[in-house]
Amino acid sequence: MPHAPLDPAASAALIADPSGGLPRLLEIMRRLRDRDSGCPWDIEQTFATIAPCTVEEAHEVADVIARAAWDELPGELGDLLFQTVYHAQLADEAGLFDFDAVVAAICEKMILRHPHVFGDGSRDKTARQQTADWDRAKAAERGSARVLDGVALGLPGLTRAVKLQRRAARVGFDWPSTDEVLDKLLEETRELAEARKSQSAAGIEEEFGDLLFVMANLARHWEVDPEAALRAANAKFERRFRKIEDWLAVDGRHPSGSTLAEMDALWDRARAEDKAAQK
């Protein structure tokens, strides 16, 4: 059963208390979902409608870290924490579990998966060895004989591709070196070009997906986070294109009023500035 609510005076006092900490946040969440006095939007939400918000908030945390915008990080981490509180409130109302159960579950998991810290396990291991131990512990907890079970469907595509490939590699299904991966990359590029000739949208999409999957495999072999690499490439593109806009604006112009040749020349200038700044 859901937790009994505080009386109105106690609830108001807790919400108004700036030092109320986590109990204050939990009470704010409860009030937002109150059927009589809460927010109509919040009252309508379900696990399914909140899940995309949870994913979005996680990406916003990653974005702040990528930009090293440390002054923004507390707010973004708060938004992500609120997502956990939201799901726990929904579960509490449904009689499934409460926030205390969430905390207890993660505490037990951390203790179980770190015997070298909280038990008698050896700390004389590299970070890579610790990661392998972590993965084995997760596999034992799943208790499934299927190698690819438990890789979340909601992960970003490139991240999930890496995780699927890593699972398969543990049982020996992997290329021995990146030479074979690069050969496969060329093969998939040729197949994508062939699919383009056919003008089949489904065929192009399939071959494009195959090419991305091989790129994720290459990232895994080279220990590159493909999502982080793509975020960095996005940021670089934004930075350089904004310089093009700024330089055109000096002459009172907009990219829509310039030629591709002009923008290409300015892009090369922005690229050269980037390279010089990195030296």
Side-chain angles (χ1 to χ4, degrees):
M1 293 294 292
H3 283 176
L6 298 175
D7 65 69
S11 174
L14 179 56
I15 290 173
D17 182 3
S19 63
L22 190 52
R24 183 190 189 198
L25 179 59
L26 294 171
E27 183 61 14
I28 289 171
M29 181 71 258
R30 190 195 67 77
R31 284 282 299 278
L32 287 172
R33 289 277 299 177
D34 187 280
R35 295 291 169 180
D36 297 322
S37 60
C39 169
W41 184 89
D42 286 288
I43 292 169
E44 290 181 359
Q45 301 314 303
T46 66
F47 287 114
T49 61
I50 291 299
C53 301
T54 308
V55 174
E56 180 181 344
E57 295 299 349
H59 283 304
E60 290 184 4
V61 168
D63 173 69
V64 165
I65 293 171
R67 293 187 287 108
W70 307 123
D71 59 324
E72 298 177 29
L73 189 54
E76 295 300 342
L77 287 173
D79 290 344
L80 186 56
L81 173 61
F82 187 68
Q83 295 300 306
T84 300
V85 169
Y86 214 124
H87 287 289
Q89 177 64 29
L90 292 171
D92 194 8
E93 292 170 9
L96 300 174
F97 57 84
D98 59 15
F99 186 79
D100 290 343
V102 175
V103 174
I106 189 59
C107 288
E108 291 303 316
K109 182 184 294 184
M110 290 301 102
I111 292 170
L112 181 64
R113 293 187 184 175
H114 294 84
H116 54 293
V117 176
F118 304 108
D120 56 3
S122 171
R123 293 184 66 250
D124 187 21
K125 297 178 183 179
T126 65
R128 183 190 291 271
Q129 289 170 323
Q130 297 289 3
T131 299
D133 288 348
W134 176 277
D135 289 339
R136 279 193 291 271
K138 287 177 66 175
E141 289 168 13
R142 286 194 305 271
S144 172
R146 290 198 174 268
V147 174
L148 303 182
D149 282 357
V151 181
L153 290 171
L155 288 171
L158 290 172
T159 298
R160 190 165 193 268
V162 169
K163 286 184 175 291
L164 289 170
Q165 294 161 6
R166 189 175 292 138
R167 289 277 190 89
R170 285 193 213 129
V171 296
F173 192 72
D174 194 14
W175 280 298
S177 75
T178 54
D179 291 342
E180 292 84 359
V181 185
L182 289 168
D183 289 342
K184 187 65 174 176
L185 184 63
L186 294 174
E187 176 188 329
E188 294 297 347
T189 302
R190 288 192 294 269
E191 290 183 3
L192 178 59
E194 288 298 319
R196 177 172 173 268
K197 292 178 183 178
S198 72
Q199 298 298 313
S200 164
I204 292 172
E205 182 175 329
E206 180 181 352
E207 295 301 338
F208 192 83
D210 290 346
L211 182 59
L212 287 177
F213 194 79
V214 177
M215 287 298 296
N217 206 338
L218 189 62
R220 178 179 62 86
H221 276 271
W222 282 342
E223 298 184 353
V224 171
D225 179 345
E227 295 290 344
L230 185 56
R231 283 195 297 270
N234 290 341
K236 180 168 61 178
F237 179 83
E238 288 181 287
R239 182 174 66 251
R240 292 178 181 177
F241 193 83
R242 283 172 178 155
K243 284 184 177 182
I244 292 174
E245 289 180 307
D246 291 343
W247 289 330
L248 288 172
V250 171
D251 296 327
R253 303 172 65 200
H254 187 269
S256 61
S258 64
T259 67
L260 177 59
E262 288 175 312
M263 288 190 285
D264 269 343
L266 291 175
W267 177 272
D268 290 340
R269 177 182 166 189
R271 182 172 180 271
E273 285 192 1
D274 270 359
K275 296 290 186 183
Q278 291 170 6
K279 292 181 179 179

